């Protein structure tokens, strides 16, 4: 009974297969940014309510992941990276993924409403709708700008965290949104440059396929140049301070230099060193977001000692 | 004589049942914790019922 194909035919999924539907790795980024949004807000939240709110924000994100896997099962089956996802692997029926996604969406939104407030719950509901419907159903297969607009879904969590604490939206939470929103395209396009997935067979219009790799390199540079002022603006806003500004200047300068180097290269140079620069920039972009939000958190901690902030 | 041969599927199904059971317990814990916090903080959750409660009437209202 160790033969995997026999297991597949039984249609009996293990508990872990349902967990995999929720995209746990995406969830970890959601939890981190939502926690930062919640903690840097000027209003303190009861720790139990805060934890419960974060939990259901994460569950809502997971639910949208399950809906995405239900809708994209045909694409996932074609591409090597996603072939082993529960639905294309035959472990979970598409209907189950849909049901799980819808049920968890409802539970997450209602529970967030009860634990926090209607604004936070409304933002979570909109995020799920945006990721599952606007991104997965409308944009992903229709336009090479799919990543740009779809990035908004990933940018909402800090805004939801902020809304949990304050019950509203503000310049600061909009800036945190903008930071992730502008960061997503260069991050994913750097990945697309060296992953070389078969987006074409899958029918997903990736920029690397539709506009070519040269154009993608330029796009990375332009979006990184647009991202830098957002990062600096965050540092100058209410959640920033001298410490955040110092971190933001270094991180954004580094990112721009990386994007510049990507733009300077062509495919021959990239092939020659096996996409070393592209891979390095992609890895850095992950640290970029982590450190940027870490700096907001650090600034908030400094503020509690009376030495942070403007 | 055993009624059924233990199958790999049964193990998986058992794991799934245990998982769902634990989730339900966690959910109960969450709702309970939420209730305790909200009640002890004194959040307004008392509605008007059939008992006349003068302290809930708007200030200045006299009967």
């Amino acid at each position: 009974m160790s033969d995997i194909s026999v297991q597949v035919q039984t249609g009996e999924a293990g508990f872990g297969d349902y967990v995999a539907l929720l995209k746990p790795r995406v969830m970890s980024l959601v939890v981190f940014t939502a926690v930062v949004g919640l903690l840097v807000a000027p209003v303190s939240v009861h720790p139990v309510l805060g934890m419960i709110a974060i939990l259901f924000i994460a569950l809502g994100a997971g639910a949208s992941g399950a809906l995405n896997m239900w809708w994209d099962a045909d694409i996932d089956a074609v591409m090597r990276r996603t072939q082993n996802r529960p639905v294309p692997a035959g472990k979970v029926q598409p209907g189950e993924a849909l049901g799980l996604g819808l049920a968890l969406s409802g539970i997450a939104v209602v529970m967030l409403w009860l634990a926090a407030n209607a604004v936070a719950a409304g933002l979570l509901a909109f995020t799920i709708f945006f990721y599952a419907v606007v991104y997965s159903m409308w944009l992903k297969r229709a336009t090479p700008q799919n990543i740009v607009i779809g990035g908004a879904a990933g940018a909402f969590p800090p805004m939801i965290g902020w809304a949990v604490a304050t019950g509203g939206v503000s310049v600061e939470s909009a800036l945190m949104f903008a930071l992730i929103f502008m960061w997503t395209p260069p991050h994913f396009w750097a990945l697309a440059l060296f992953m070389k997935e078969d987006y074409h067979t899958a029918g997903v219009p990736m920029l690397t396929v539709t506009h070519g790799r040269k154009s993608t390199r330029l796009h990375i540079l332009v979006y990184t140049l647009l991202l830098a002022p957002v990062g600096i603006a965050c540092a100058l806003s209410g959640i920033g301070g001298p410490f955040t500004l110092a971190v933001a200047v270094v991180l954004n300068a580094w990112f721009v230099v990386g994007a510049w180097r990507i733009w300077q290269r062509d495919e021959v140079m990239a092939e020659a060193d096996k996409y070393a620069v592209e891979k390095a920039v992609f890895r850095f972009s992950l640290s970029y977001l982590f450190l940027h939000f870490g700096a907001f958190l650090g600034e908030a901690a400094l503020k509690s000692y009376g030495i942070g902030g403007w | 004589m055993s009624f059924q041969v233990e199958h790999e599927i049964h193990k998986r199904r058992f794991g799934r049942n245990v998982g769902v059971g634990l989730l339900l317990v966690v959910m109960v814990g969450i709702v309970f914790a939420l209730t305790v916090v909200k009640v002890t903080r004194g959040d307004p959750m008392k509605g008007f019922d059939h008992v006349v409660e003068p302290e809930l009437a708007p200030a200045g209202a006299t009967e």
Side-chain angles (χ1 to χ4, degrees), chain A residues 237-262:
Chain A
S237 74
I239 52 171
F243 168 70
T244 314
L245 184 61
V247 173
V249 167
V250 173
L251 288 176
N252 285 286
W254 197 310
F255 204 174
V256 168
V257 169
W260 177 267
R261 290 178 63 201
I262 284 185

Side-chain angles (χ1 to χ4, degrees), chain A:
Chain A
M1 278 302 119
S2 59
D3 187 354
I4 203 88
S5 64
V6 175
Q7 292 183 9
V8 163
Q9 284 161 1
T10 62
E12 284 271 348
F15 191 73
D17 296 320
Y18 292 104
V19 174
L21 273 182
L22 308 183
K23 301 194 176 180
R25 286 177 65 190
V26 176
M27 230 192 237
S28 62
L29 189 67
V30 167
V31 167
F32 174 65
T33 55
V35 165
V36 172
L38 191 149
L39 290 180
V40 300
V43 186
S44 73
V45 179
H46 190 290
V48 172
L49 295 187
M51 270 164 54
I52 292 174
I54 296 296
L55 184 73
F56 285 106
I57 294 172
L59 194 69
S64 64
L67 292 173
N68 168 269
M69 286 203 202
W70 160 70
W71 183 260
D72 276 349
D74 57 333
I75 300 180
D76 289 349
V78 178
M79 291 197 295
R80 203 155 29 88
R81 180 172 62 91
T82 51
Q83 265 169 3
N84 291 325
R85 285 180 175 176
V87 179
K91 290 178 192 159
V92 174
Q93 298 301 311
E96 285 184 292
L98 173 64
L100 190 73
L102 288 176
L104 291 185
S105 300
I107 291 171
V109 170
V110 169
M111 288 305 292
L112 186 62
W113 194 337
L114 293 176
N117 52 64
V119 175
L123 282 172
L124 181 65
F126 184 71
T127 306
I128 296 170
F129 168 79
F130 200 91
Y131 186 67
V133 178
V134 178
Y135 171 69
S136 300
M137 295 183 188
W138 294 348
L139 297 172
K140 188 171 177 182
R141 301 170 197 224
T143 160
Q145 298 296 314
N146 48 17
I147 276 167
V148 178
I149 306 156
F156 273 112
M159 212 178 201
I160 304 174
W162 180 278
V164 165
T166 66
V169 176
S170 70
V171 179
E172 290 86 352
S173 74
L175 279 170
M176 284 190 283
F177 173 91
L179 187 67
I180 304 182
F181 181 72
M182 294 308 300
W183 163 88
T184 310
H187 168 75
F188 270 106
W189 285 329
L191 177 73
L193 277 177
F194 65 83
M195 278 295 280
K196 296 205 165 177
E197 288 210 65
D198 213 348
Y199 288 109
H200 189 68
T201 7
V204 180
M206 275 302 264
L207 197 64
T208 42
V209 178
T210 56
H211 289 63
R213 311 178 80 78
K214 182 78 202 150
S215 166
T216 305
R217 289 170 186 279
L218 179 63
H219 273 77
I220 291 175
L221 179 63
V222 171
Y223 271 88
T224 310
L225 288 172
L226 293 173
L227 168 69
V230 177
I232 303 297
C234 284
L236 294 173
S237 74
I239 52 171
F243 168 70
T244 314
L245 184 61
V247 173
V249 167
V250 173
L251 288 176
N252 285 286
W254 197 310
F255 204 174
V256 168
V257 169
W260 177 267
R261 290 178 63 201
I262 284 185
W263 179 61
Q264 294 267 295
R265 287 150 65 87
D266 56 28
E267 288 312 302
V268 181
M269 293 162 78
E271 292 282 3
D273 61 5
K274 295 196 169 61
Y275 293 89
V277 173
E278 289 77 4
K279 284 177 182 170
V281 171
F282 173 74
R283 273 197 303 274
F284 170 74
S285 70
L286 276 169
S287 323
Y288 172 94
L289 199 70
F290 181 76
L291 292 173
H292 231 301
F293 275 81
F296 299 152
L297 209 52
E299 196 77 49
L302 288 175
K303 265 185 214 170
S304 66
Y305 291 107
I307 43 175
W310 294 113

Side-chain angles (χ1 to χ4, degrees), chain A residues 10 12-13 49 55 114, chain B residues 9 12-13 16 30 34 38:
Chain A
T10 62
E12 284 271 348
L49 295 187
L55 184 73
L114 293 176
Chain B
I9 282 179
R12 238 181 307 157
R13 214 174 271 172
R16 221 166 57 187
I30 286 172
L34 202 56
K38 294 230 166 197

